[in-house]
Amino acid sequence: MTNLFPDDASLILPAPAKLNLFLHILGRRADGYHNLQTIFQFLDYSDQLAFNCRKDGEIKLHTIFENVPHNDNLIVKAANLLKNYTSSPLGADIWIDKKLPMGGGIGGGSSNAATTLLALNQLWQLNLDLITLAKLALQLGADVPVFVQGKAAFAEGVGEQLTPITPPELWFLVAIPKVAISTATVFNDPLLPRNTAAITYQQVLATEGQNDCQAIVLNHYPAVQDAFLIMNKLAPTKLTGTGACLFASFTTEQQALAAQRQLIDKIDCFIAQGINFSPLHQKLNLSY
Ligand SMILES: C[C@](O)(CO)[C@H](O)COP(=O)(O)OP(=O)(O)OC[C@H]1O[C@@H](n2ccc(N)nc2=O)[C@H](O)[C@@H]1O
Ligand SMILES: Nc1ncnc2c1ncn2[C@@H]1O[C@H](COP(=O)(O)OP(=O)(O)OP(=O)(O)O)[C@@H](O)[C@H]1O
């Protein structure tokens, strides 16, 4: 395991990325949030977090994030939320090996928060079930509950009403344009389309779908537009979440690798398989 972590770490767990295979915006609620329909699928591509229990109650994230103050970090927020909810007297030392790009639309921060909730639930012996943890998780962000539940899902509401589904576990080429995009900025854009018709659960897996944020993001962020134009020549390419990452799917790893070879020196990208049961839940031996 990575030497970023102490040898005596009691728990080392992954925080996987997600893709939004499509992202439909149905409307805007009175509180400003948007009603969505999306498919979340996990990627076999993860940050790693290490945890030790502290008896003095302090929550300490040891890894420095250049642009995120300690107490604003979703890892620390998740730990404090769980501590307050359960009145646990315990604390934690936490380290992270960060691989997922921030502001990339692949859910890095949200996934870190979910992994922290599940890790401390175990270390502090709280025995909260996933439904209770997912409800808490929603306070941290619309994307956090799916990472707590651990199953690929058709999501509705603001992203918290989850129906497990099993889309094909394809191989993805994921491009990382060199820009971080704020989700709130995209959702506040007056030109964002907000009137896509709802589909039914029966239609989900047959729906190709689109990302309703894509046109806005390509228009405003030249780095995303450039990467899109290059990658879309190789294979049909889509935005995930509010970007900046783009993805294209392939039936086999070899096909994805062949496409990646054509992008070498042009776009920073990685290959990963889509997975319907989170690597976090697999590592914790939770059943599907
Ligand atoms: C775009 C997605 O990534 C799709 O999976 C998510 O909906 C975003 O989830 P997230 O990053 O966890 O977002 P949050 O931290 O909850 O919200 C950030 C901001 O995005 C906007 N927001 C988010 C989710 C949503 N359904 N409607 C919104 O309008 C709100 O302005 C909010 O202030
Ligand atoms: N542990 C964390 N990892 C990443 N970002 C964090 C973390 N804690 C707080 N943040 C803040 O949250 C912002 C969004 O982070 P994140 O990487 O989750 O974006 P994203 O990939 O667009 O997520 P999503 O797809 O859920 O919208 C970052 O720009 C950063 O300021």
Side-chain angles (χ1 to χ4, degrees):
M1 193 42 74
T2 168
N3 59 11
L4 294 173
F5 299 158
D7 291 339
D8 67 345
S10 13
L11 202 51
I12 297 179
L13 292 173
K18 58 85 177 165
L19 291 178
N20 296 98
L21 299 185
F22 62 73
L23 179 59
H24 294 174
I25 304 179
L26 311 189
R28 195 179 209 167
R29 305 193 318 193
D31 64 2
Y33 266 74
H34 290 76
N35 282 321
L36 313 171
Q37 286 188 323
T38 185
I39 292 182
F40 288 111
Q41 191 179 39
F42 305 105
L43 288 178
D44 194 7
Y45 188 81
S46 306
D47 291 338
Q48 299 288 330
L49 284 86
F51 300 87
N52 270 338
C53 195
R54 282 178 78 110
K55 298 225 162 63
D56 64 1
E58 197 185 334
I59 307 289
K60 193 158 171 46
L61 175 63
H62 293 269
T63 312
I64 308 280
F65 280 60
E66 274 178 22
N67 303 317
V68 187
H70 181 270
N71 289 348
D72 290 347
N73 198 298
L74 282 160
I75 296 168
V76 177
K77 284 187 169 178
N80 280 320
L81 181 68
L82 190 64
K83 186 171 163 61
N84 291 336
Y85 180 76
T86 58
S87 304
S88 172
L90 298 172
D93 288 310
I94 309 175
W95 297 261
I96 177 166
D97 184 2
K98 191 82 187 154
K99 193 154 89 168
L100 309 185
M102 288 167 57
I106 59 176
S110 308
S111 186
N112 292 169
T115 293
T116 302
L117 291 175
L118 267 67
L120 298 183
N121 186 43
Q122 180 164 317
L123 273 187
W124 294 345
Q125 300 185 333
L126 301 170
N127 293 319
L128 298 181
D129 59 28
L130 292 186
I131 295 172
T132 307
L133 288 171
K135 278 191 194 141
L136 269 182
L138 185 58
Q139 296 180 39
L140 298 163
D143 271 353
V144 189
V146 72
F147 287 110
V148 167
Q149 294 281 15
K151 294 175 184 175
F154 174 51
E156 301 179 271
V158 299
E160 88 295 5
Q161 292 167 27
L162 300 168
T163 309
I165 50 167
T166 52
E169 295 183 322
L170 299 174
W171 288 86
F172 293 97
L173 177 61
V174 182
I176 314 174
K178 286 193 177 34
V179 58
I181 297 181
S182 148
T183 300
T185 304
V186 175
F187 273 116
N188 281 323
D189 194 301
L191 296 179
L192 184 70
R194 297 180 164 89
N195 58 359
T196 295
I199 57 170
T200 62
Y201 175 69
Q202 284 69 29
Q203 294 170 303
V204 173
L205 286 180
T207 299
E208 177 75 27
Q210 75 280 354
N211 184 324
D212 284 331
C213 301
Q214 185 166 311
I216 298 281
V217 170
L218 294 188
N219 265 332
H220 288 327
Y221 301 91
V224 186
Q225 168 91 299
D226 292 350
F228 176 82
L229 291 175
I230 295 170
M231 200 160 138
N232 199 43
K233 280 191 196 135
L234 290 178
T237 296
K238 227 185 254 177
L239 190 78
T240 174
T242 50
C245 291
L246 300 160
F247 64 94
S249 65
F250 300 87
T251 312
T252 65
E253 184 179 18
Q254 285 68 25
Q255 290 167 343
L257 283 165
Q260 187 184 35
R261 277 195 290 275
Q262 298 194 53
L263 297 181
I264 278 179
D265 298 333
K266 293 191 188 128
I267 310 177
D268 190 11
C269 51
F270 67 87
I271 287 171
Q273 191 173 13
I275 28 179
N276 294 332
F277 190 44
S278 168
L280 169 63
H281 296 63
Q282 292 185 35
K283 183 96 191 269
L284 286 168
N285 286 324
L286 298 171
S287 53
Y288 183 83

